[in-house]
C-alpha cells in the first residue's frame, strides 16, 4: 500500500471465483441458498458508491492524521453501560453495552466490536457505526444492541494478571461471545473489527469455523490485511490479493521514513504508555494466592518473564513497533501454552491471518484502503487459496480507519458530521452488511452448533467440553454508565489507530 493522492473513485469489490451459497430467509417465508456475491450486490449498494475525499484530505497520511488528531467529541454520541468480566486466568475484560438499560427484545441482534491497537469504546471510528446501528428504528437506526470488547488494560479496564493482549490472542473475544450467548441466548451475534481487533476477529472466525458464535463479521483496516493470496474476481477479471501477513506488513512499514518514525513509533509509544498505566500489576511478581482457579493463572515462571519484559520495555527509548513486540508482546501478549514466543517474527507469524483464512465458515466483509500508511505491503503473491465466504473491498483512498468525505444532504444520526461537515464513507457499507447479516441470513449451523454453556459450582460461565479447561468468566463489580465521547484516551495516547 502507498500514500498516493486520490480522487473520487468507486471501490473495487473482489469476490472469490466460487462464492459460497449462503442460507437465507426468503420473502414470504421459507429459507433457501443464495450466492454471497448476489447478496452483497442486492443488500450493500453503498459499496458501489464513490469515495470522494475533500481536497485537503486527499492522501492516506492526511486521512490517518486527521483520524488521530481530530476532535470528534461532538459527534456520534454513544452512552455505554460497562460490565467487568473476571477471567479464570485472573485477567479482566470490560464489556461496554449500548444502549444502556436497553429495552430491546432479548433476540435483538448484538454487534460485537473489537477495537484497534490501544483503543476502546470511545474511539470515533467505533461510534461512527454504533451511533446509527443502535439508534431506534423510529429515528433512522437499525435498533440493534452492541457491545465493545475492551481489551485488558484498554479504555480504563484494569490489568489484574500478568498478561495483556495482542493480534494473535483470541481467547478474550471467545470468552466474550460465550458470555453474550449465556446472557442473550436468542440473539444473533455480529462481528465488527477494526485494525488489530479486525485481525483478532478473523482469527477467531477461522478457529471456530462452522461453530463460530459470530454469525458474520465486517472487518476494517486489518493490521495484517492480506487475505492469503486469495484469488478474487472483480469486473470479470481475476486478481490475486496478498496474504494478511504481519511479517511482511511490519517489514514494509518500518522501511519507510514516515512508516517507522511516525506510525510504527507512535503505535509502540501507545503500548509503552499502556504498560506505564498498569505498572502496579506488572512491575513485580506477587506471592501465589491459592484459589479454585489459580491453576489457570500464569505460573511463577511465566509471571517472572512478563515482569522482566515489562521492565525491559520501559527501558526502551522511542522504539519502533517491532522492537516493542520483540521485547514485550511476544512474552506478555497472550498466555500458555503458545506464549511466550521466541521473537517478534515468531509472534507475527503466529498471529497473521493468512494461514487460517481458509477455515472461515461465516460470511466476512473486509474493507481496506489502498493508501493506508499503516497497512503498507502491496498485493503481489501468486499463490492460491479458497475462501468462498469472504468479500474484499478496496477503496482508492481513506488512509487507516479514516474514510472522511464531505457530508451532503440531510444530516442523520451517526453520519459523523463535524464542524468541517465530514462523514465517514465506511459507515453506510458497514450498516448495510450488519443488516444483511442480522435480517437476511439464517443463523446457526444445524450440523455444527456452538457448544453448550453452563455455570459451574464456583459461578464460572463455561463451555461444555471446551477446548481449554481454563476458559471461563464471571461478572465482578465496578461497572457504570459511560459517555463514549467523554471516556478520554489516556495522556500521551494517540487515538484512531
Amino acid at each position: 500500500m502507498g500514500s498516493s493522492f486520490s480522487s473520487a473513485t468507486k471501490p473495487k469489490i473482489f469476490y472469490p471465483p466460487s462464492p459460497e451459497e449462503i442460507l437465507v430467509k426468503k420473502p414470504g417465508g421459507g429459507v433457501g441458498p443464495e450466492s454471497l456475491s448476489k447478496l452483497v450486490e442486492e443488500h450493500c449498494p453503498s459499496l458501489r458508491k464513490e469515495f470522494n475525499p475533500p481536497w485537503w484530505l486527499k492522501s492516506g497520511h492526511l486521512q490517518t492524521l486527521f483520524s488521530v488528531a481530530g476532535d470528534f467529541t461532538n459527534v456520534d454520541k454513544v452512552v455505554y453501560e460497562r460490565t467487568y468480566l473476571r477471567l479464570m486466568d485472573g485477567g479482566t475484560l470490560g464489556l461496554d453495552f449500548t444502549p444502556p438499560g436497553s429495552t430491546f427484545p432479548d433476540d435483538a441482534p448484538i454487534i460485537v466490536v473489537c477495537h484497534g491497537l490501544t483503543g476502546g469504546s470511545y474511539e470515533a471510528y467505533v461510534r461512527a457505526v454504533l451511533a446509527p446501528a443502535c439508534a431506534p428504528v423510529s429515528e433512522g437506526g437499525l435498533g440493534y444492541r452492541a457491545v465493545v470488547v475492551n481489551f485488558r488494560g484498554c479504555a480504563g479496564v484494569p490489568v489484574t494478571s500478568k498478561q495483556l493482549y495482542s493480534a494473535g490472542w483470541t481467547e478474550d473475544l471467545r470468552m466474550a461471545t460465550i458470555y453474550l450467548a449465556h446472557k442473550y441466548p436468542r440473539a444473533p451475534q455480529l462481528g465488527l473489527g477494526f485494525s488489530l481487533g479486525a485481525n483478532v476477529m478473523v482469527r477467531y472466525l477461522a478457529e471456530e469455523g462452522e461453530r463460530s458464535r459470530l454469525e458474520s463479521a465486517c472487518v476494517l483496516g486489518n493490521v495484517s490485511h492480506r487475505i492469503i493470496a486469495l484469488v478474487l474476481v472483480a469486473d470479470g477479471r481475476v486478481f490475486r490479493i496478498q496474504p494478511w501477513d504481519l511479517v511482511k506488513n511490519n517489514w514494509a512499514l518500518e522501511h519507510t521514513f514516515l512508516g517507522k518514525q511516525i506510525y510504527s513509533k507512535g503505535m509502540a509509544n501507545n503500548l509503552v504508555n499502556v504498560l506505564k498505566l498498569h505498572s502496579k500489576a506488572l512491575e513485580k511478581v506477587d506471592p501465589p494466592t491459592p484459589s479454585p482457579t489459580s491453576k489457570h493463572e500464569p505460573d511463577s515462571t511465566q509471571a517472572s518473564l512478563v515482569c522482566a519484559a515489562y521492565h525491559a520495555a520501559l527501558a526502551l527509548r522511542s522504539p519502533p513497533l517491532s522492537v516493542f513486540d520483540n521485547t514485550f508482546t511476544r512474552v506478555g501478549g497472550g498466555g500458555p501454552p503458545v506464549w511466550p514466543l521466541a521473537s517478534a517474527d515468531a509472534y507475527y507469524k503466529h498471529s497473521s491471518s493468512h494461514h487460517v483464512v481458509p477455515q472461515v465458515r461465516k460470511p466476512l466483509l473486509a474493507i481496506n484502503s489502498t493508501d493506508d500508511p499503516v497497512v503498507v505491503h502491496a498485493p503481489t503473491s501468486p499463490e492460491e487459496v479458497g475462501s468462498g465466504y469472504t468479500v474484499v473491498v478496496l477503496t482508492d483512498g481513506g488512509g487507516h480507519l479514516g474514510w472522511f468525505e464531505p457530508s451532503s444532504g440531510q444530516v442523520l444520526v451517526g453520519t459523523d458530521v463535524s464542524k468541517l461537515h465530514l462523514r465517514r464513507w465506511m459507515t453506510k457499507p458497514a450498516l448495510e452488511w450488519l443488516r444483511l447479516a442480522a435480517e437476511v441470513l439464517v443463523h446457526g449451523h444445524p450440523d455444527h452448533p456452538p457448544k453448550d454453556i453452563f455455570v459451574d459450582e464456583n459461578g464460572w460461565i463455561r463451555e461444555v467440553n471446551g477446548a481449554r479447561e481454563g476458559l471461563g468468566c464471571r461478572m465482578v463489580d465496578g461497572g457504570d454508565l459511560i459517555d463514549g465521547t467523554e471516556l478520554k484516551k489516556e495522556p500521551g495516547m494517540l487515538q484512531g489507530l
Side-chain angles (χ1 to χ4, degrees):
M1 301 288 177
S3 57
S4 60
F5 285 75
S6 56
S7 56
T9 56
K10 289 185 178 181
K12 292 183 175 66
I13 306 176
F14 299 90
Y15 299 106
S18 300
E20 286 291 331
E21 296 284 312
I22 309 296
L23 203 59
V24 301
K25 304 166 189 174
K26 294 293 186 179
V31 300
E34 191 65 83
S35 167
L36 179 60
S37 56
K38 184 176 180 181
L39 289 172
V40 171
E41 295 286 340
E42 291 182 357
H43 296 278
C44 302
S46 291
L47 288 176
R48 291 199 170 275
K49 292 185 177 179
E50 290 183 343
F51 168 63
N52 185 19
W55 65 266
W56 52 279
L57 291 177
K58 287 288 188 182
S59 78
H61 292 303
L62 293 173
Q63 287 270 336
T64 303
L65 292 175
F66 186 74
S67 184
V68 169
D71 181 3
F72 306 102
T73 55
N74 295 318
V75 296
D76 297 320
K77 296 284 187 178
V78 177
V79 177
Y80 300 100
E81 185 170 10
R82 176 162 293 185
T83 294
Y84 285 114
L85 298 182
R86 182 61 45 79
L87 308 178
M88 291 183 74
D89 64 11
T92 300
L93 296 181
L95 303 188
D96 286 351
F97 288 86
T98 191
S102 173
T103 58
F104 289 170
D106 288 344
D107 62 352
I110 304 174
I111 304 170
V112 183
V113 183
C114 286
H115 58 76
L117 183 68
T118 50
S121 57
Y122 62 86
E123 290 283 8
Y125 57 73
V126 171
R127 293 185 282 111
V129 179
L130 295 195
C134 300
V137 175
S138 60
E139 297 178 13
L142 296 183
Y144 297 170
R145 184 180 281 111
V147 58
V148 181
V149 183
N150 295 294
F151 298 140
R152 309 176 191 220
C154 293
V157 176
V159 172
T160 55
S161 71
K162 295 293 188 288
Q163 182 187 320
L164 289 184
Y165 62 93
S166 68
W169 182 251
T170 58
E171 295 290 68
D172 292 349
L173 173 58
R174 182 171 289 104
M175 190 66 253
T177 65
I178 294 170
Y179 172 78
L180 292 171
H182 173 73
K183 185 176 176 67
Y184 299 106
R186 298 175 56 232
Q189 299 182 38
L190 316 173
L192 179 65
F194 299 89
S195 194
L196 178 138
N199 192 75
V200 172
M201 193 160 282
V202 172
R203 285 186 57 85
Y204 166 82
L205 288 171
E207 291 167 5
E208 293 294 315
E210 291 91 346
R211 297 184 187 277
S212 167
R213 295 187 188 275
L214 297 180
E215 297 294 343
S216 76
C218 174
V219 295
L220 302 103
N222 190 341
V223 291
S224 56
H225 207 275
R226 306 286 178 274
I227 298 218
I228 176 174
L230 187 60
V231 179
L232 300 163
V233 178
D235 301 325
R237 293 179 294 165
V238 174
F239 293 79
R240 302 180 188 276
I241 302 299
Q242 177 66 28
W244 287 346
D245 191 327
L246 284 169
V247 176
K248 293 180 180 179
N249 186 69
N250 190 74
W251 184 93
L253 176 68
E254 295 190 358
H255 278 73
T256 65
F257 178 81
L258 289 177
K260 181 175 183 178
Q261 299 299 325
I262 302 298
Y263 302 111
S264 182
K265 289 189 174 183
M267 290 185 286
N269 181 68
N270 271 13
L271 290 165
V272 169
N273 284 330
V274 169
L275 296 187
K276 291 178 179 178
L277 286 170
H278 302 285
S279 59
K280 289 185 179 180
L282 300 169
E283 64 185 0
K284 63 181 180 179
V285 180
D286 300 318
T289 54
S291 70
T293 61
S294 60
K295 65 180 181 180
H296 304 302
E297 298 177 15
D299 61 23
S300 58
T301 300
Q302 174 69 0
S304 296
L305 290 173
V306 173
C307 180
Y310 159 83
H311 288 287
L314 292 194
L316 299 172
R317 293 293 177 264
S318 189
L321 188 59
S322 61
V323 173
F324 177 90
D325 287 337
N326 195 60
T327 304
F328 184 85
T329 310
R330 70 173 184 85
V331 179
V338 176
W339 266 261
L341 292 156
S343 64
D345 272 358
Y347 158 61
Y348 297 147
K349 289 175 183 176
H350 167 78
S351 302
S352 296
S353 306
H354 71 277
H355 50 86
V356 297
V357 167
Q359 281 74 56
V360 170
R361 291 295 181 271
K362 296 296 175 96
L364 172 63
L365 173 66
I367 302 178
N368 206 51
S369 98
T370 59
D371 66 355
D372 186 331
V374 175
V375 182
V376 294
H377 191 67
T380 57
S381 174
E383 302 174 55
E384 267 183 52
V385 85
S387 181
Y389 293 88
T390 302
V391 177
V392 178
V393 176
L394 295 177
T395 59
D396 287 332
H400 188 66
L401 301 181
W403 288 293
F404 296 103
E405 64 179 5
S407 61
S408 60
Q410 185 179 7
V411 176
L412 300 176
V413 62
T415 51
D416 198 12
V417 179
S418 67
K419 294 178 182 179
L420 297 171
H421 304 292
L422 297 176
R423 64 183 177 192
R424 294 185 193 248
W425 171 89
M426 60 84 172
T427 297
K428 284 188 177 180
L431 293 175
E432 290 168 351
W433 177 267
L434 291 168
R435 175 176 279 157
L436 162 63
E439 302 177 19
V440 179
L441 303 187
V442 173
H443 303 137
H445 194 297
D447 299 325
H448 303 282
K451 294 176 181 178
D452 292 333
I453 300 171
F454 73 104
V455 180
D456 71 14
E457 64 275 11
N458 294 310
W460 297 98
I461 301 169
R462 305 172 62 185
E463 280 187 327
V464 175
N465 298 321
R468 191 164 71 88
E469 183 184 2
L471 187 63
C473 74
R474 59 187 177 193
M475 285 182 56
V476 293
D477 295 334
D480 203 352
L481 292 181
I482 297 171
D483 185 331
T485 60
E486 295 179 358
L487 180 63
K488 302 292 186 181
K489 63 185 186 297
E490 300 292 344
M493 302 279 281
L494 299 175
Q495 66 180 5
L497 295 173

